[in-house]
Amino acid sequence: MSYRNNQIPIRTTKRPSKPFISPISNPPSKIPKTTHPQNDVVTPLPPQPQSQTLTSTDHLSSILADAGITLINSSGPPCIPADLLKLRNHLEKRFASDSALRSRFLTGFASYINDKNDLRRVLLPSFRDNVNNGRSDSLVRVLLLVPSIQLDLQNMLLEKLPEYFDRDTLRLDEDIARLIVNQFRWLDFLVDCEKFTDSLFKVLSICPCDLKREIIGSLPEVMGDGSNEIVVEALEQVLQDDSSATVAVIDCFSSLNLDEYLQDKVITIALSCIRTIEAEKLPYLLRFLLLSATQTNARRIISEFREQYKLVGVFDTRLTQNNKLKGKSVVNNVEASVLDALGSSLRFKNILCQEILKELQHIDKPQDHKVIDIWLLMLIYKNCESMQKSVEKLLKKKIVEGSIQDGLFEQCIFGNKDLVKDHFCSFLLLSEYLLACKEQQASKFGIQIYKYLFEGFPDTYSRQEVLGSLVTHVGSGIMYEVSSALEAMVLLASTYSQELVPVCSYITGILDYMEGFNTENLHKVYDVFCYLSRSVRSNTESFGSSIANELFMIVRKQVSNPDFKYKKMGLIGTLKILSHLGNTDTDDTSHSSSSQKLNYEEALELLRTSLDSCQQLPISLILFYDELSSILDSRTLHPAIMERVGQLVGEFESMYLTDLESGKLPGSDLYCDLEGEPWMNLDGDISPICVNILPMASSSSMSTSLQTLPANFRLLSVMERLGNQGSLGGIDALLGCPIHLPSSKLILESWHSLNKKQKDVVCLSLYYAINWIRELLNAFGTQVAGRSDCISQATKEDTVIKISKRLRNLVFLESLLNHFLKECPISFPELSSASSPGQPTRIEKNSEQMRMNRDSFHGSKRKDKKSSKTLKNSGTQGNNTTQLTLIETWKKAGAISTDASNENSTGMPSKSSPSQPAACSTSNSSESLDTDIIISEAVKLLEAQRYKFRPLLVDCFSILSYSKDIDSCCADPKCELPVYLYLLRDLHSKIKYFTPKPTLPRSSSTPPGLSGITTVAFVSKIQTLFPTLRTHLDSATSLLEHCSETCQQHWRDQSSMAGNPETSNMVVSVPSVSSFVIKETLSCFSKMLTCSDLILSKQSVLLDLLRSFQPKKVSDIAAMQSLSSTREIDCLYEGVYTFLEGVLDVALCFSFMLASEVVLTLESVIVSLQKILDKPLEGIDKHKLAVIPELLVTLRNKLCLSAHKLLSHNWHNEIQNGWKGKGEMVQKIIHIYLENCESTSESLDEIACSILPTTLSSSRTTAEDSHGFTTLCSSTFAVWYRELHEQNLIILGKLVKEAIIIQKSRATPHPSVVQILMEKLHRSVNVVVSLINVCRTHTKVTIHTMAVKYGGKFVDSFLKVFEFLETHFQGHSQLIIQLFKDFQRGTRTVQTLCSQAKGLKQTGITCKIPATKRSLERLLFRVKALLHSSSSGLTFEVGNLKHKNLIGQEVSSQVYMDDENEINTDDFVGTAEDERVRDSEDETVRNAEDETVMNSEDERVRNSEDDGEAD
């Protein structure tokens, strides 16, 4: 040790020679007692006899006195000199020079402190001479700073420590143990830290708890930083021996100045204590851990805490509800302290929030999430405002994926309500966000949280906040948000109606927004108020009885309003009241007074009022009938109400039916000079009645009644089922009875002779007949759906036959009407109470749209006189030919696709080529029914008004299962395929509603035919159809492969047996029908297979679907039977894929579009299998999942081969109309091919660098022979070009992620890893350069636009990897420089494209130039900075860029320049920067073509002439 050299000289004068007399041997006569620490007096000692022999204590006193210390002080503790440094130096010199003296001193000191009072005196602060306050360090502390005796004194004091363990004192000056410990604090040095630590912890192991905590807490003040490792090891042992000292140890750890290694060790020790520490001490441990978190250990701390901490405040909600203990859970202060510690730490450490979100993001399985996860998210949401968006996105993602269940929030809210109360606003805000989400899973989750908050917090304030938040959502105007909020209100009203009555004033605000609600939301609004009204009526003491009165008053006002918008609200409200108050299950008259009518009587009176108000508006009556039918299907109403409804439907026969005599009409009346006849008589001469359509359609007074025919019949069929135990036997004559329509010979043979009004009557008659048949299918489809045992098997078979014939009638009528609409467009009246999303709800809206389109047409007419003249010349009969026809209006509105190829997606050409539709006229037309009507074609003109038709219900699809052709003349299945195709198209449209695209939310309005049907119910109804779909797919595939066009007579025979008029113009194209059936079946299959809600939520449905599409080879039959119920799911997927490959082989021989549909279905199989791997189904073991990755690799390779086979197939002899309309499908197939290649980057490199440039430089045949892709030609070049660019950007994005991971990794990457990544980057650069340089030989503006657009995007992504290149430049400089050189060839071309586009004013390109140039300029400066900062001998020069065109010729603006490096500031606004990167050794050799130039992406123009032109 080193001490100061400038010490104060020690006194050298000797003391008097008289012998030293110990004060202990000669005590004074009086020695005062110690009374108070401030007046310390030596405790009197018993008299001792004088002895001439000096004791050890005498030696101690002599040595101290020689140093100037008075050991025995009559007024208290010893007195010490003022100069402590001089004192310590004096003692150290004497002890160092005389070991005997040191021994006598230590012996005397040990003897002296044997007495408690003496020990206490030397431990208390001593008196110092010449010091004002008179107090200083204790004698022991002064002696501890003498190096030669420090260790001995420390051991001596530690040995004395156990003697005073049991002293229970409150004052510090009387607690000797604590006084001893205090002597070790803040010593200037420790002579032997290791020995002292060892001794101290030996004593510590036997110390009582309080003293142990005291000693542990003082360790940072006792030990130096050099002893931290010893202290940490010792404290770790203490924790293992005594867990009660955890808090003291943690406090000690937090006070130590630890290095990185020891800090990490301490964190590990603390984490190991989470499970064993006492609950009340956990907050201290947690606070220490969180405050010690750094970038490197924060993730580990969060992970360990989540894994080991178990929240105690969790309970069983059902058990609590059964015991009526809701809201009475015991508050645990420990959990509150834990959450407080978490919250305070998260507030001040943003890194913890980020690491928590990262940790939770990597948890995929629902069982791995805990209640503490919800609390962590809520604490971040509350305390970190900047992280709220991240919390919302993560939670929504977890909910949509199904990783977080609502049960966690239930446990969180009900587990400890007092804790949630402090975070109530945060929970409410989060529920508001979730309910407003487009995703259905998230919105339903938000609804559940609202329910939990309302139930868990019964106080008025909280419930008002919940209801106010829901009302705010209702007023948002966003349809899906409004729907979710109303659904939440219905849930609360149905469950807690009594609790809602006192706060109902907050709910009535939603009535202000009803005008903007759709039908579904109106139902929900009235459900809420009906629940409240019913609750009020059942409770006589309720003070909210005005709710019912207000509800009735509002409904009456709405019903009496002449505007249909308000009348619709009133009708829905009326029928909701009818269903709630007229329901026999809820009818309660025990509380009704004599002055108050019974519930059902009030409902019945309201029913009569509403019915009377609907008579003048057919659409209102249709809505009334449909809503009433839906109620009767689901509820049983009071007999008085049922009697009134029975009277209503009793008028059906007299209104819509007429009698027949021997199957013929009794008279031959003419209607609008049209002769009528019964069509489609299935019962023959025995049919007693006929549906009277033509007479009513031709009469203006009766046509409005005809609009209600289908809805009235629906109500009639519902009443019949209710009164006849589900059977429709009482009205089965309606299924086979004929329909009174215009004479078939007249309209099929003399159509051209009819006038405008007659044609309108014909079209309307056919329209009403179609909807009548559709409603027949809906009604009688329930009889064959398999759920009713009310009819016999013979009756069921007869019903199936008639339904099959009615389907043929339907197909015939729709094809005929669609053909007539081409010549006589007409807007049909609405017959459905619900319209599909996006379509107008009334005829008036459609008329308004037509008017707007006409106005726009007049504007275009004035601008283009030539086209106006053409239109005028095409008119006849003086009609205003400047108006758009109805078909043209539909086309402009987008209701009809103008691209015929979009409809004929199978590539099958139509045999008929109808001319452009013209306005209907009375003059003779060259076109009638001489043109063939292809049955298989979709009725495009009818589809534009399909929302007005009566929808087909799901029960109708059961007809698909009855494929037995009972009356067929042969076993030819193509007689049935057109019928099944009709149903398949409708089934496909319904499946699309349940399987929306990932980027789009599901429509908030339920389409017609699916009202009230949930996903599970829909799946259950169509599950039995899976084998049927496979059967029809096999039939269509077989016909497509083997059948010819020689069996047209079969369809005509079946059509004739169904009562259809005979005509030779109805043509069934077998290849066309077969291809459409295959397309629709595969579309339905792929959508069901990839929809999580539809299939993955119900494993049995998925397995049934997979089993239905297995191959049926002879060798596989036995294996399939043995594995029919136990087959592994991977085998099922492999079997499906094998089966579809066989379908692809057939489709390749027919059309490109059909083969493409098969390839898309093959892709859906892989997508579905990937979903199972990402989110395993219940009951699938881990060892079964282990084979799926290998199967995925195999199937992806097969898919790549299938896509390649499709792209390289010779289609030139089979493609009709070239590749028009097929570009989107071609791009999808290219995407599938490249995405599933073994190496996408290599395939891209081959196509972009080798194949694509040769496509335009050689003839078609030569190019195809060279590269093999027949689909790559001039017509599809742009499609290939776009997809190659997009795939290259995807690959670059993946490489950027790899580079970022390597860059952030703490470990040094292996050179080979960096080398491989560099090569991949170089390959991607070569691809984009090759694609951009295609523009030098390709003149289409579309290609140039894509080159500029994707070139800029590529540079943007490439800049993200620049930091990686800078880091590894020294080790891979040559490779990186070569990458820049190659990249420059592409940037030059982009620069030239931009210049040329400005000169030619190509606006499609110029709008993308600014963003692209900014990206290129950033790249320029980054390259410049990299090369200037490197010391590799490279130089970077900036010069002028020559202005050249695409073929390399200089343009006139720079031809006059003599020197390329000359800059003329007078003529140039600015110069483009030109960078040259070259080796310094080759600086003198320069080649103008090969110099490395990186174009500056500055938008400045090169001279004033160019500047003016660009402007």
Side-chain angles (χ1 to χ4, degrees), residues 98-133:
D98 189 351
S99 59
L101 180 65
R102 174 180 174 277
S103 299
R104 288 196 302 271
F105 177 84
L106 293 175
T107 303
F109 188 80
S111 176
Y112 181 76
I113 64 176
N114 284 333
D115 185 84
K116 173 187 175 183
N117 294 323
D118 290 337
L119 176 58
R120 179 173 170 271
R121 289 175 66 251
V122 298
L123 293 175
L124 290 173
S126 302
F127 290 103
R128 293 178 62 183
D129 298 336
N130 301 326
V131 179
N132 293 332
N133 58 12

Side-chain angles (χ1 to χ4, degrees), residues 695-706:
M696 299 183 71
S698 60
S699 172
S700 58
S701 60
M702 300 181 65
S703 60
T704 56
S705 300
L706 192 59

